[in-house]
Amino acid sequence: MTYVVTDNCIGCKYTDCVEVCPVDCFYEGENTLVIHPDECIDCGVCEPECPADAIRPDTEPDMEKWVEFNRKYSELWPVIITRKDPLPEAEERDGESGKLEKYFSEKPGEGG
């Protein structure tokens, strides 16, 4: 089992999760985070820290695409281990549907 970041992180990018991760398996894109599924140790401490409820276990239905999404971008983006402020539009985008199609950017974040 692993945890993955889903589309509710897009446009929000709360980083509360990265501070509690004991193995530093979060990676930062321009407007979202991902978890490297091979580095995640399945401890689950990140899931309750996410204000947007964007972190889910891969055992939930229809998570296969998110495992691959997280794998792909964690191999392209820099690791993030320090909490940063969320994106300015985080509150208004939290819970919005269709965020992957509307807002997702493949550009890497700064990491840190």
Side-chain angles (χ1 to χ4, degrees):
M1 188 176 96
T2 187
Y3 284 83
V4 293
V5 177
T6 62
D7 58 342
N8 205 41
C9 185
I10 300 169
C12 294
K13 199 165 81 168
Y14 293 104
T15 56
D16 306 62
C17 52
V18 303
E19 280 197 323
V20 299
C21 181
V23 293
D24 301 333
C25 65
F26 281 87
Y27 292 80
E28 182 185 17
E30 180 179 42
N31 67 356
T32 194
L33 302 173
V34 292
I35 295 171
H36 195 300
D38 297 335
E39 295 173 1
C40 176
I41 60 169
D42 315 324
C43 68
V45 297
C46 59
E47 185 180 21
E49 296 299 318
C50 181
D53 195 31
I55 300 173
R56 312 301 315 156
D58 71 343
T59 53
E60 289 188 0
D62 303 318
M63 286 294 126
E64 296 84 9
K65 80 173 193 173
W66 291 111
V67 172
E68 291 313 309
F69 178 91
N70 278 249
R71 182 183 313 283
K72 175 181 177 178
Y73 291 103
S74 65
E75 293 174 0
L76 300 173
W77 293 345
V79 69
I80 178 172
I81 59 172
T82 306
R83 187 182 181 284
K84 298 179 181 181
D85 289 334
L87 296 176
E89 63 274 11
E91 281 191 39
E92 70 183 65
R93 297 251 164 92
D94 187 2
E96 186 178 332
S97 62
K99 290 168 58 169
L100 181 64
E101 297 76 21
K102 291 183 208 173
Y103 308 120
F104 176 68
S105 169
E106 290 189 339
K107 294 179 185 174
E110 296 173 0

